[in-house]
């Protein structure tokens, strides 16, 4: 099976570092810092959009946005993994999936350079055969192209996308692939509002759920 993961709010709790970088940006124009909950509410559509939402929330004139968002990018790329942590069970789950022969990819709206730096710092870079960031292609999620390009690089086995948010669920729908929802990430909507094939709240559940899914698919094929 080909399994592609989102990054922020799915594999890694990166919000504290995003908050720190955004607050450095806001301090440049004398604005009050974001709280962690505010930061999480702005995550999902890439770093520039996070910066834009933070600036709008603090009433900063649009004419100042481009330079400040560039400052945000520089601040975040300098420290993408200062306080970030893997969600519980992620390392063991990735090890189990690779041992079972699954091909793994990463599709995130985080810019590619800090995404690669983050997964390297978290010790999980070696699990992924392909990484597509928010600036790898001309478009980003929920456009399906980043996700379909990621899957295309992994072969032709069945596909599953694993994410945590409204953007991820929409991307899966747009790409026509099954979606597994990690419920403990940065989702803003009720679970039932996000279309998904399966859901889990701890990564120790994912490998067994995939095994059950494959067994069901095999038995269905055999019955046909």
């Amino acid at each position: 099976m080909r399994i592609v993961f989102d990054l922020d709010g799915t594999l890694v709790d990166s919000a504290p570092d995003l908050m720190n970088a955004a607050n450095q940006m806001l301090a440049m124009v004398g604005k009050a810092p974001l709280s962690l909950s505010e930061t999480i509410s702005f995550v999902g559509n890439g770093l520039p959009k996070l910066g834009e939402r933070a600036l709008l929330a603090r009433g900063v004139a649009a004419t100042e946005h481009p330079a400040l968002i560039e400052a945000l990018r520089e601040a975040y790329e300098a420290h993408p993994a200062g306080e970030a942590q893997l969600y519980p069970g992620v390392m063991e789950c990735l090890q189990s999936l690779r041992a079972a022969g699954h091909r793994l990819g990463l599709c995130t709206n985080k810019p590619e350079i800090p995404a690669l730096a983050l997964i390297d710092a978290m010790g999980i870079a070696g699990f992924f055969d392909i990484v597509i960031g928010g600036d790898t292609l001309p478009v980003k999620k929920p456009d399906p192209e980043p996700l379909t390009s990621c899957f295309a690089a992994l072969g032709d086995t069945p596909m599953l996308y694993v994410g945590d948010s409204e953007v991820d669920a929409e991307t899966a729908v747009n790409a026509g692939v099954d979606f597994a929802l990690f419920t403990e990430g940065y989702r803003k909507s009720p679970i039932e509002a996000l279309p998904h094939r399966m859901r889990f709240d701890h990564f120790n559940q994912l490998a067994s759920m995939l095994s059950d899914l494959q067994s069901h698919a095999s038995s269905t094929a055999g019955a046909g």
Side-chain angles (χ1 to χ4, degrees):
M1 177 175 278
R2 292 171 286 171
I3 307 167
V4 175
F5 292 88
D6 174 53
L7 182 56
D8 300 281
T10 299
L11 297 175
V12 180
D13 182 5
S14 55
D17 294 311
L18 291 167
M19 178 185 71
N20 292 339
N23 287 341
Q24 288 184 52
M25 174 191 70
L26 291 170
M28 294 173 64
V29 286
K31 298 298 182 179
L34 299 179
S35 67
L36 187 60
S37 60
E38 280 183 295
T39 303
I40 290 172
S41 74
F42 296 153
V43 171
N45 297 93
L47 197 62
K49 183 60 71 173
L50 183 151
E52 179 185 329
R53 289 166 175 163
L55 294 168
L56 287 172
R58 294 297 184 263
V60 178
T63 54
E64 297 188 60
H65 288 192
L68 290 170
I69 289 172
E70 177 62 18
L72 167 63
R73 183 191 65 77
E74 293 175 356
Y76 185 67
E77 287 188 3
H79 300 285
E83 298 182 46
Q85 296 185 35
L86 292 176
Y87 283 102
V90 164
M91 181 67 74
E92 295 81 2
C93 178
L94 295 177
Q95 290 171 340
S96 175
L97 294 176
R98 283 304 294 256
H102 299 293
R103 300 288 303 279
L104 308 182
L106 188 73
C107 184
T108 173
N109 275 343
K110 185 189 293 297
E112 186 175 328
I113 289 174
L116 291 171
L118 179 57
I119 63 174
D120 184 61
M122 296 292 100
I124 59 174
F127 291 111
F128 302 108
D129 297 303
I130 178 71
V131 174
I132 292 182
D135 56 359
T136 305
L137 301 175
V139 294
K140 58 171 61 74
K141 301 180 297 182
D143 189 290
E145 186 177 350
L147 185 57
T148 56
S149 296
C150 207
F151 279 120
L154 296 175
D156 59 1
T157 52
M159 300 176 288
L160 181 72
Y161 182 46
V162 182
D164 71 296
S165 70
E166 293 81 358
V167 171
D168 295 325
E170 184 180 353
T171 305
V173 170
N174 291 342
V177 302
D178 285 338
F179 180 57
L181 174 64
F182 174 55
T183 61
E184 302 304 300
Y186 301 156
R187 168 180 52 84
K188 291 89 175 173
S189 305
I191 292 172
E192 293 73 18
L194 276 64
H196 55 276
R197 174 68 182 268
M198 62 183 71
R199 66 193 192 207
F200 62 100
D201 59 18
H202 193 289
F203 272 85
N204 63 10
Q205 302 166 340
L206 183 57
S208 61
M209 293 174 71
L210 289 175
S211 178
D212 291 344
L213 179 64
Q214 288 184 300
S215 297
H216 176 73
S218 297
S219 63
T220 301

